[in-house]
Amino acid sequence: MIQTCGRCSRSNPAEAAYCYFDGSVLSGHAGRGVPLVAGTKLFASPFVFSSGRTCRNFDELALACHAEWSTAKELLRHGDLARFMHALGRPDLARLAQEASRFPDPDRGLDQLLAQFPTDKLDAPRLRVDPVEVNLGRYHVGQQGRFDVHLENEGMRLLYGSVVSSDCPWLTIGEAPGAAEKIFQFTGELTIPVHVRGERLRAGEKPLVGQILIESNGGIATVIVHVEVPVKPFPDGVLAGARSPRQIAEKAKAHPKEAVALFENKAVAGWYKENGWKYPVLGPTAAGLGAVQQFFEALGLTPPPKVEISDKDVRLNGAVGDQLAHTLKIETKDNRPVYAYAVSDQPWLEVGRPKLNGRRASIPLVVPSVPDRESVTLEATVTVTANGNQRFLIPVSLQIGASLRFTEPLVPTLPPGNASRRVSASRESEPRGPGGLAEPWRQRRFWLHAVPAFLLLAALAGIVVWDLKSPPDQEGGRVAAPAADYTDLADPEPRLGIQFNDKMRFGLVMLKERDPANSDKFKRLTYEERGGSNNTCLKIDGLEFLFGQAPARWVKKEVKVRDYAWKSISDYPNEDIEVTQSVSLVPGDQTRLLDTCLIRYTIENRAKIAHKVGLRVMLDTFIGANDGVPFAIPGQPGFLDTMRRFTQKEIPDFVQALERPDLQNPGTVAHLGLKGLQIPGMELEPIESMVIARWPGNSEIRWDWPPTAMNEPPTNKDSCVTLYWAERMMPPGEKRDLAFTYGLNALSSSASGNANLSLTAGGSFKPGGEFTVTAYVKNADPGQKVRLRLPPGLQLLPDQSEEQVVDKAGDYAQLSWRVKAGEVGVYTLEALTNGGVEKYQVAVKAGRLFD
């Protein structure tokens, strides 16, 4: 029977006369005298530390554990304390010691064991903070800073808790760049660095005041931080001297025509940025007086005019290769300027530059070339945004007719090799309609009676070929792989298959290769084929939600918007935040193969109030056949096989991983594209931070967790990449677009046969864009030089050196150069080292990456 102590309420064995913990006389033993002082009762044999310190009772043992904390943790971990307690005849403490030795955090385990010792010599932890108020003086927007907060434990045992920069985005805690929150624990003293994030400062007439909240098991404290950020007056023109948005509006109202140029050239938007303010105008800047009207409406100084649009829907008809056009007209009856812009959600339909003319606006819609998809109706949606964020969703349909332009005999008489030239000549000689556009297909009567039979035979042949060539997926169905709309692919067959689970998490498999461990399955780029171990987390006003899971509601789930493209829309009803996930297969920017997955998120605040929102994506990477392959980081020596956090400035254009350490046969080369993405109609936000570490072991993990090294023993290597987009306030109606890519790439030497040197590249390949060239060097020697030779039309950035030096020996070294692209064309780069030369081609294109 267990006895309960009336003083401390702890359980004791039935045969005990005194409480094991505080020495009190237990009920039924009142005649035994006064309570024992349990902490001073001598052990049958002393406990001796490796330092020679001898402990004869619990008081001395507790004080020794506190004084020699690190040694005590090892004694606990190896079971010495548990065995000693058992020898003392204290199986209760022996059991607690065994439990404490299995704690994930050994400090917390030891502290909890000490809390159970029958002693009063260890004072409770007590927090002291210095300083409690900080005046940083005068800063300007963009200026970085740092100061330290000193924490002291005026008590004993373990002091633990958290430091939070409460609702203060310009202060971050911990090692650079810091975070909004840092967890701490210590026994004596600790210094916490605090960083001033200059890019998040906001200018104002009054000083900014921030709070750092420190909560612990030894008390709570608050550090108040003051900083002055003076307003920069507007420098030029009729708006010169303005110190607030209202003053800008007053000066613009007085001189509207003169102010137009300052809005059109983005001088006003730039002034907002210099003062750290969010520019209120959403979307592109309007032209003419519409730009002033747009600004006034954004500030709420004038109500927007009610506008009407000419078309509720648009229906187009054309033959393959035709160019089609249509104009949307937006107008108002009010005597105010109209401004508008539009975006299309399909690559085959382009939106031209709006033409503004007082109370009217015109937006051209153009199909440059009707896709080669005969007898198919394509669907698109054009979103038109006008004054006051008035929106119109215009459905556009394109009926594609047959392109049977037999102006010459059906059997070509050209000699072999000239077929492609004959097709081109035939298209150039076709009759043209008004404005140079091709006549609609239905006006061509040649061989019209053969069309139905021809189309039927073609369809049947396509089905047979597809059925034979499509490999089965893991559930006995097929991974959808219809033809893409791209015309300049090196090979139209897809390299990747995209699969979803019921939560719309996505997984990637390689359709051209089989899993080395199971030939019945495809090779993987994510650990689970259907993405179950990946997840996407949203943080809304401090609350954390996983995409695709309650309390969110599905607005649309797994909607196929076109070949190789899926969209899922989830709504968070309490906050009225809508999140769209778009996953699509696109051509690699340099490979021109369907080997890249584009992942996009659009966040929209549909509420009438502002919300603080951030988004985080975790990919459980599985490179080829391995779960923990080291990553190559451009600009960083060696390979990353541990753990690292990247700030926004440290995030490279791309991250790569090789399946095998063999430049001639690297196996799968996985490529994560982080910068340089261009999507029509979208201004993509940069990634704020990135973590490469061990997968946390939990597919339901939320926003953050303590990352560990991917090669941490004793388990097998395991890796994941986690991307964070800023947690920031979103005003009503704001939309945010976020994107990255994940897929395959190739090394130059995998084709050229150079066993010790290889090149690859990633980034923005448009004219004037910047990209990174990376060289892998096998068996490099310290001091070995590698020189990058660029052709005319490409140039290194000013801070880059043509020749770089390997800093240390190793199986592999990697060196990187930042390059600026010139005019459109194909360029051959050369890397030279130790008499060897390796070449690599890059294509600079005027078109956008995903058009």
Side-chain angles (χ1 to χ4, degrees), residues 15 42 248 364 390 417 450 659 713:
E15 66 273 12
L42 295 178
I248 288 285
Q390 298 175 73
E659 180 186 2

Side-chain angles (χ1 to χ4, degrees), residues 574-605:
N574 291 337
E575 296 79 12
D576 207 7
I577 299 292
E578 188 175 273
V579 181
T580 301
Q581 173 184 275
S582 301
V583 183
S584 55
L585 190 62
V586 298
D589 195 47
Q590 294 299 307
T591 64
R592 301 313 296 168
L593 297 171
L594 288 173
D595 60 5
T596 299
C597 182
L598 169 65
I599 301 99
R600 295 180 292 164
Y601 290 92
T602 298
I603 307 173
E604 182 178 5
N605 182 6

Side-chain angles (χ1 to χ4, degrees), residues 256-272:
K257 293 183 179 180
E258 294 83 353
V260 163
L262 299 173
F263 286 96
E264 287 184 332
N265 65 14
K266 301 187 183 303
V268 176
W271 174 73
Y272 264 79

Side-chain angles (χ1 to χ4, degrees), residues 476-557:
R478 298 193 179 275
V479 177
D485 288 337
Y486 302 97
T487 57
D488 58 342
L489 295 177
D491 184 346
E493 291 193 20
R495 264 47 179 181
L496 297 181
I498 304 171
Q499 303 181 68
F500 299 89
N501 70 0
D502 60 344
K503 299 174 183 176
M504 292 312 295
R505 300 180 184 183
F506 58 90
L508 299 178
V509 295
M510 302 166 59
L511 299 179
K512 296 292 183 179
E513 296 186 53
R514 291 287 171 173
D515 190 328
N518 187 346
S519 60
D520 292 332
K521 293 187 175 183
F522 294 119
K523 205 172 188 180
R524 291 170 283 168
L525 277 185
T526 55
Y527 183 80
E528 294 189 13
E529 293 94 336
R530 299 185 183 277
S533 55
N534 306 327
N535 75 34
T536 298
C537 181
L538 281 110
K539 203 169 186 180
I540 306 176
D541 297 333
L543 301 177
E544 299 174 5
F545 307 95
L546 292 181
F547 181 84
Q549 297 178 216
R553 303 176 305 187
W554 286 116
V555 179
K556 295 181 180 179
K557 184 178 180 182

